Amino acid sequence: MTTTLRTPVAIVGAGPAGLLLAHLLDEAGIDSIVVDLRTQGEIESTIRAGILEQGTVELLDRLGEHSRARIVGHRHDGIELRFDGEGHRIDFPSLTGRSAWLYPQHEVLKDLIAARVAAGQDLRFGVTVTGIDESDQEHPRVLAVDADGKELVIEADFVVGADGSRSVVRPSVVGSMQGGYFREYPFAWFGILCEAPPSSNELIYSNSPDGFALISQRSETVQRMYFQCDPKLDPSSLSETEVWENIQKRVPGTDLIEGPIFQRDVLRFRSFVSHGMRKHRIAIIGDAAHTVPPTGAKGMNLAVADVALLHEALRALLQENDSRLIDTFEQRAMQRIWKAQHFSWWMTSMLHVTDDASDFDRRRQLGELRSIAQSTAGQTYLAEAYTGWPI
Ligand code: DHB
């Protein structure tokens, strides 16, 4: 028994990109069906990054009462760059007139799911997509198995893969899973969540001879911190004391407030940009099309920027039969994607220390950090990229 559904837009993946796209399409009167492999509980509890660009918050405002970003989240008007034993504040509003918000991705997802459920829109969890049938270019079909093990076919006017870095939809757009530009880094982040008050008002990005650390936050009582580590490190192999020693020595000059660690993970660093984002009536967005290393928190923000372009292109295509925006979608999206790739790579390489760094490399890196911290032009570039280029 196969269930066959018809919809204007089939969206694979109920992450930030897929759910926000569905919301903006609904605003324009375009129905969609969103499916995801995971359960709602898994989606709402996966720990990811916590910084939203100003443009991301403005787009989330369109969820109305469902967006809690400005209520539960916190506006951040700057960050501290710390190196060579000193802190240097980058003040966002005076440099760019913009800010960033601390509001974790899983909270954004709760808001997006609540808005979709409240509007009575079609959202299905536990659905395994097995492939895309492209035999009719005008009407691609999503082939899937639903949560009860029944076959499901979704016939659409357009299919969007917002299904993350292991995207099932990507091969339909670029011919293979690996079709893209790729870079791996020789380090990872050890991330923790701990019960403690904030150690600082703003985030600290710290370069030290022992490597990088990031002092982020979550709330008045829970903090998120990261330190550079070997990608092969088993997160359970360090004692709590060793974790704190590692973090403290990478932020010399600040006494971090410690507390019980209740979550730990090791995040791999990868840069990837797919060779393409659209073929006929199939597109990929967000992590399905590109991933960045976490330094600077561009991942979710870049996914949201893809959505901002794609929802307008789909409106023109599906409501006015105007293909001009969809024809230029990839080229326009790629401009921002490569700027964000550069920023994420630059923040990463400027702040981390590799095992094979020579004395020259180390001194050059401090020269680079000083070039930013002591120059309004340098600070402005960082602040523009961090708070997000206007969408
Ligand atoms: C966080 C993650 C980042 O990659 C970053 O640059 C800033 C904050 C976070 O998880 O809080």
Side-chain angles (χ1 to χ4, degrees), residues 28 48 121 156 171 180 190 217 235 243 250 314 323 325 330 346 383 385:
R48 291 287 191 87
Q121 295 154 9
F190 194 111
Q217 307 169 1
V243 171
R250 287 168 169 75
L314 289 180
S323 61
L325 288 179
E330 176 181 319
W346 174 69

Side-chain angles (χ1 to χ4, degrees), residues 48-51 189 203 205 214 216 218 224 226 294-297 386:
R48 291 287 191 87
I51 291 289
W189 278 2
L203 272 57
Y205 288 78
L214 169 58
S216 185
R218 282 298 177 262
R224 180 81 164 141
Y226 303 93
T295 330
Y386 197 96

